[in-house]
């Protein structure tokens, strides 16, 4: 046994490393390699100069003298992959570069983008649509009729004041008082001004009753008597007092109702912003649908994707209908506001009522279409999901 080997057969000291690096031990008959102080590669057991063939000044790529180095079976140079490939009966191939095929990733990105844009568009369109149509039905059923009712009451009371100076009670006076009372009752039914408005109308109705009684008492007195003048003066003050008279109270209610009409028919900056955002999102969704269709056509060699085409058609049709309904409703509301801003008297009040009904016709039906926006948004999302799901299932990410 050689003196530089331990009982386990391993080299000791620098000579042992050199012997293993040259592929021979002391007992193989080969001269020991000169000590270089270079430690062998722990994976192969071979010094670097042995792997490159640059021993003892030999050119690079030229094997040095002596037997070829033997690989350490305990640590194969290729990490065991070569042996594994041999066991599998094939050659070892390089691992695919991560991200070499981006189809699955691109499909997933487009899928998420379509669903997100569809959800955002549904929410934005619903809010914008309700911002216009949500006030159309209250305007048609409450605010506009209340303004016309107050106009009618004011006109009737003006006519009654002119008949109050008659020498004897007349049927025209009683008729005008009845019209005014009925108009106030209709305004109260339209919920004018909320609880405070109803209370004000009740006060006015009571004052009208007192006014009518005083006028009737004056007409029962002899023409030109002081008592007759006193009753008429008191009745006139009830009707025309600037602070608490019937006409003053009704004009305050009329101003409040016209302000409510302006609020309901206004198309303010916030509403313009909502519609602008809605149109931007709609254009983005349409562009995304078109780009995805072109992507699928280019990647999968299929001309059309039925799901995406149906989603695009539904988007275009739904957006066109909602925009058309909104333009019609807003135009009718604008015309109604212009009509009610004028002072109406006599037959003009009746004509204004018919015109208002015509301007606001079908607004209730169009307002109910807001629920269709939510249904349409869900359908667009479902169609986009159907159009991409098959391709996503074919190219989904799988764990290695």
């Amino acid at each position: 046994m050689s003196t530089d080997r331990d009982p386990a057969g391993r080299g000791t000291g620098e000579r042992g490393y050199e012997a293993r690096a040259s592929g021979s031990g002391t007992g193989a008959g080969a001269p020991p390699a000169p000590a270089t102080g270079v430690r062998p590669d722990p994976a192969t057991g071979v010094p670097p100069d042995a792997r490159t063939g640059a021993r003892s000044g030999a050119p690079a790529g030229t094997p040095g003298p002596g037997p070829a180095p033997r690989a350490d079976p305990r640590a194969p140079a290729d990490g065991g992959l070569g042996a594994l490939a041999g066991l599998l009966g094939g050659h070892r191939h390089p691992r695919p570069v991560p991200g070499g095929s981006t189809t699955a990733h691109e499909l997933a990105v487009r899928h998420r983008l379509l669903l997100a844009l569809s959800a955002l568009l549904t929410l934005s369109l619903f809010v914008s649509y309700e911002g216009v149509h949500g006030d159309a039905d209250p305007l048609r059923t409450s605010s506009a009729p209340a303004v016309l009712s107050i106009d009618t009451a004011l006109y009737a009371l003006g006519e009654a004041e002119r008949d109050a100076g008659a020498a004897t009670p007349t049927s025209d006076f009683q008729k005008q008082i009845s019209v005014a009372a009925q108009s106030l009752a209709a305004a109260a039914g339209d919920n004018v001004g909320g609880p405070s408005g109803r209370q004000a109308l009740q006060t006015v109705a009571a004052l009208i009753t007192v006014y009518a009684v005083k006028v009737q008492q004056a007409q029962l007195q002899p023409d030109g008597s002081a008592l007759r003048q006193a009753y008429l003066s008191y009745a006139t003050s009830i009707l025309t007092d600037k602070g608490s008279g019937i006409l003053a109270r009704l004009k305050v209610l009329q101003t409040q109702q016209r302000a409510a009409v302006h609020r309901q028919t206004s198309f303010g900056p916030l509403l313009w912003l909502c519609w602008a955002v809605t149109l931007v999102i709609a254009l983005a969704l349409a562009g995304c649908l078109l780009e995805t269709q072109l992507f699928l056509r280019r990647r999968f060699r299929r001309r059309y994707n039925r799901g995406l085409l149906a989603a695009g058609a539904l988007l275009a049709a739904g957006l066109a209908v909602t925009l058309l309904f909104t333009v019609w409703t807003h135009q009718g509301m604008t015309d109604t506001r212009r009509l009610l801003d004028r002072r109406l008297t006599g037959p003009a009040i009746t004509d204004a009522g018919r015109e208002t009904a015509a301007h606001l016709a079908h607004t209730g039906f169009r307002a109910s279409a807001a629920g269709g926006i939510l249904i349409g948004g869900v359908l667009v999302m479902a169609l986009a999901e159907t159009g991409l799901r098959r391709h996503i299932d074919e190219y989904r990410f799988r764990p290695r």
Side-chain angles (χ1 to χ4, degrees):
M1 177 179 297
S2 174
T3 58
D4 58 353
R5 304 283 293 183
D6 63 4
R10 298 185 177 87
T12 59
E14 294 293 331
R15 293 185 62 188
Y17 284 111
E18 294 158 4
R20 287 196 300 277
S22 64
S24 62
T26 56
T36 62
V38 180
R39 297 183 64 85
D41 188 342
T44 61
V46 181
D49 59 350
R51 291 196 305 272
T52 60
R55 292 186 59 191
S56 302
T62 304
R70 294 177 298 175
D72 190 349
R74 295 173 298 174
D78 58 0
L81 294 178
L84 180 59
L87 292 176
L88 295 177
H91 297 287
R92 183 177 52 168
H93 298 280
R95 297 181 64 184
V97 180
S101 176
T102 61
T103 302
H105 175 70
E106 292 179 358
L107 283 172
V109 169
R110 286 167 173 81
H111 175 253
R112 290 193 295 267
L113 187 60
L114 286 175
L115 294 184
L117 287 176
S118 299
L120 286 176
L121 177 61
T122 301
L123 178 61
S124 178
L125 183 58
F126 180 79
V127 172
S128 302
Y129 192 84
E130 275 291 302
V132 176
H133 295 263
D135 291 326
D137 197 55
L139 176 66
R140 179 180 63 87
T141 60
S142 177
S143 300
V147 172
L148 294 175
S149 296
I150 295 175
D151 284 341
T152 302
L154 286 170
Y155 175 74
L157 289 172
E159 293 296 312
E161 183 182 13
R162 192 166 56 242
D163 296 331
T168 58
T170 60
S171 59
D172 290 341
F173 176 81
Q174 294 296 333
K175 179 182 177 181
Q176 299 300 334
I177 292 297
S178 297
V179 170
Q182 292 174 2
S183 299
L184 293 180
D190 294 329
N191 195 25
V192 173
S196 61
R198 288 196 300 270
Q199 184 176 4
L201 286 174
Q202 291 174 359
T203 302
V204 171
L207 290 175
I208 288 176
T209 301
V210 175
Y211 171 75
V213 169
K214 296 304 179 183
V215 169
Q216 290 173 355
Q217 289 176 346
Q219 291 177 343
L220 293 176
Q221 303 301 320
D223 189 16
S225 64
L227 189 56
R228 178 186 177 92
Q229 295 300 323
Y231 281 133
L232 286 177
S233 177
Y234 183 63
T236 303
S237 66
I238 293 175
L239 182 65
T240 61
D241 186 79
K242 293 183 178 179
S244 58
I246 295 174
L247 298 180
R249 293 174 184 268
L250 286 179
K251 287 179 180 179
V252 170
L253 290 174
Q254 185 184 54
T255 302
Q256 293 175 353
Q257 283 305 110
R258 284 179 175 169
V261 169
H262 276 261
R263 288 195 304 270
Q264 292 169 343
T265 58
S266 64
F267 205 95
L270 183 59
L271 201 53
W272 277 111
L273 178 62
C274 288
W275 276 104
V277 171
T278 299
L279 293 179
V280 169
I281 297 175
L283 291 176
L285 178 57
C288 187
L289 285 170
L290 178 60
E291 193 278 335
T292 303
Q293 175 67 53
L294 296 177
F295 169 78
L296 296 178
R297 181 177 180 178
R298 181 176 64 253
R299 189 63 58 93
F300 297 99
R301 306 298 181 187
R302 295 186 178 182
R303 176 171 293 184
Y304 301 116
N305 183 290
R306 295 179 180 177
L308 296 183
L309 288 178
L314 181 59
L315 170 64
L319 191 62
V321 170
T322 52
L323 286 175
L324 192 60
F325 280 6
T326 300
V327 170
W328 287 346
T329 297
H330 179 62
Q331 186 61 47
M333 296 170 71
T334 301
D335 293 340
T336 300
R337 181 185 63 204
R338 292 173 181 170
L339 183 63
L340 298 180
D341 277 343
R342 299 180 301 170
R343 181 180 179 182
L344 302 174
T345 59
I349 297 177
T350 305
D351 295 339
R354 287 195 297 265
E355 292 180 22
T356 298
H359 293 326
L360 300 178
H362 310 298
T363 53
F365 167 75
R366 293 196 287 264
S368 64
I373 294 175
L374 300 179
I375 298 174
V378 173
L379 287 178
V380 170
M381 296 174 68
L383 290 171
E385 172 73 19
T386 303
L388 291 178
R389 176 51 55 188
R390 177 165 55 90
H391 301 297
I392 292 176
D393 290 340
E394 291 175 358
Y395 285 88
R396 66 161 61 97
F397 293 105
R398 294 182 175 87
R400 296 186 182 275

